[in-house]
Amino acid sequence: MDFTFSEEQRAAAEAARGVFAGVVPDAVPSPALTTGAVAEGFDRELWSRLAEADLLSLLLDETHGGSGLDAIALCLVLRESAKVLARVPLLEHSAAAAAVQAFGGAELAQRLLARAGRGELVLTVAAHGRTGHDPAELAVGARRDGTGWVLEGVQTAVAWAYDADLVVVPAHVEGGAADRTVLALVPRELAGVGLAEQVSTHGERLAELRLASVQIDEGDVIEGDGAWEWLHALLATGTCALALGLGERVLDMTAEYTGKREQFGYPIATFQAVAVQAADRYIDLRAMEATLWQAAWRIASGAAGALPAAGDVAVAKIWAAEGVRRVVQTAQHLHGGFGADTDYPLHRYHAWAKHLELALGPAAAYEEKLGDLLAAHPLG
């Protein structure tokens, strides 16, 4: 069994390191010193560089100008982006485009994907439901209206909604043999679409998306079976990759600081209590990494397992949520008061970590999901 990354996957990660090399985590005002959002939009200059490096089209087929790579390659790139707190909708955009390619019709793919791969069209996903604690697919209802659809409902905490051209919205359809979920691609400027500003813990501008009798053409609705479940799994796994990259950078910062900070004439990194805490966080990161690649491999390969792929995604999200929280908490503790200094970037990583911990649901939500899967698919 070969656990190494392919040459193409390694090349994607190397390209990402080159693009992100000049990104400064302190490029926008500190969320600790800002009452509103730290910036109105995402980093458009960085977005252009990602497009030029073909990193916005990683998952797209060559027919759409893409590289034809998989979820593992995307996670490698996301891991690098989180190390510098890159302010771009890379995860949401890439996952939405991949869902259009995998489940949308040929006309929709032809109309959107090449432009999305070039960064000319920005996509995001409404994935947090009405409150952030309920299923996203139940927050918006969809019903047929002639040859089109009508959407009604509310989605909270939609990332990059003010910047996106299209928001992919899961919507619940009642009736028929069984209830089902469709994906509607909603233009931000469409009649009946409203945005109410929200600000996340990391200071980024989110939006409550309000849909009041919004009419959508049939060609802008994806009805493929399992489309939302697949898209949600990719988003959750990508979030784990972001948490891993952030945690690795934070542990590196902690090692650098404790190796230089002296007490009683010795670097504090040589003290047993400090070394043990850092070692525990290293173990957390390795567990986060192992479970991430298992989940990404299940999505990329479609391979069968003792549980559906959702089980591996749940395990990865549990480790990512709890692990990244422990990493940043230990880093703050070992940095002492210096960790809270707003002239030092650690406090930003702490704020981003809290956002990633809760994004798409906390660890407890995935523990409950994993329990349901184990009950439905008993092992042995």
Side-chain angles (χ1 to χ4, degrees):
M1 189 174 291
D2 186 2
F3 292 101
T4 59
F5 298 116
S6 70
E7 182 179 346
E8 292 81 6
Q9 290 164 348
R10 292 195 300 270
E14 183 62 31
R17 282 190 286 272
V19 172
F20 295 126
V23 177
V24 179
D26 289 337
V28 294
S30 167
L33 303 176
T34 309
T35 55
V38 294
E40 288 190 1
F42 63 82
D43 188 338
R44 292 281 181 173
E45 181 182 347
L46 177 58
W47 188 251
S48 296
R49 296 206 302 271
L50 288 167
E52 291 170 0
D54 296 326
L55 293 176
L56 300 183
S57 57
L58 277 179
L59 304 187
L60 302 183
D61 294 337
E62 291 183 5
T63 54
H64 303 301
S67 304
L69 296 181
D70 55 18
I72 297 172
L74 175 62
C75 287
L76 284 166
V77 173
L78 291 169
R79 180 188 194 179
E80 297 301 323
S81 76
K83 293 178 182 179
V84 296
L85 307 183
R87 300 182 54 260
V88 287
L90 180 59
L91 169 57
E92 296 83 2
H93 178 86
S94 300
V100 170
Q101 176 174 262
F103 297 94
E107 187 277 332
L108 182 63
Q110 185 68 28
R111 177 157 46 94
L112 299 181
L113 294 184
R115 295 171 60 206
R118 295 191 297 267
E120 300 167 2
L121 189 74
V122 180
L123 309 177
T124 191
V125 184
H128 289 96
R130 179 181 289 271
T131 66
H133 299 285
D134 53 339
E137 64 271 21
L138 300 181
V140 173
R143 58 180 174 81
R144 287 274 189 183
D145 183 31
T147 59
W149 294 80
V150 175
L151 305 179
E152 194 89 37
V154 175
Q155 289 272 3
T156 194
V158 181
W160 315 110
Y162 284 94
D163 304 285
D165 299 291
L166 292 171
V167 181
V168 178
V169 180
H172 184 63
V173 183
E174 296 183 352
D179 294 349
R180 59 196 178 100
T181 300
V182 298
L183 298 178
L185 279 71
V186 181
R188 182 164 47 91
E189 304 297 337
L190 199 62
V193 176
L195 299 178
E197 185 177 70
Q198 299 173 317
V199 179
S200 178
T201 52
H202 62 340
E204 294 298 335
R205 193 184 191 197
L206 310 178
E208 181 181 78
L209 175 69
R210 301 169 181 173
L211 304 174
S213 300
V214 174
Q215 296 184 332
I216 298 291
D217 293 336
E218 186 169 12
D220 291 326
V221 175
I222 298 173
E223 300 185 60
D225 290 340
W228 167 240
E229 291 77 10
W230 186 88
L231 175 55
H232 187 273
L234 182 55
L235 289 169
T237 304
T239 301
C240 296
L242 292 170
L244 175 63
L246 185 149
E248 289 175 328
R249 177 61 191 130
V250 166
L251 191 61
D252 286 344
M253 292 169 63
T254 304
E256 293 168 9
Y257 177 78
T258 57
K260 297 176 182 177
R261 176 75 167 89
E262 292 189 0
Q263 285 187 351
F264 312 112
Y266 296 94
I268 62 173
T270 62
F271 298 168
Q272 186 178 37
V274 172
V276 167
Q277 291 182 70
D280 285 343
R281 300 296 76 83
Y282 176 82
I283 293 170
D284 276 333
L285 290 172
R286 297 290 68 79
M288 290 165 64
E289 183 175 17
T291 54
L292 163 66
W293 299 131
Q294 173 70 11
W297 174 75
R298 287 292 303 275
I299 293 172
S301 67
L307 292 177
D312 291 297
V313 174
V315 171
K317 187 59 166 69
I318 292 165
W319 271 104
E322 295 187 342
V324 77
R325 171 175 48 80
R326 288 193 291 261
V327 168
V328 294
Q329 286 179 344
T330 296
Q332 289 282 15
H333 175 64
L334 296 182
H335 275 81
F338 193 52
D341 190 333
T342 55
D343 291 328
Y344 184 67
L346 181 60
H347 75 287
R348 291 180 183 271
Y349 285 89
H350 199 149
W352 277 65
K354 178 55 66 175
H355 173 78
L356 292 173
E357 176 191 349
L358 302 178
L360 300 174
Y366 288 86
E367 289 168 351
E368 183 176 348
K369 181 179 293 187
L370 183 60
D372 291 340
L373 287 170
L374 289 168
H377 303 83
L379 304 178

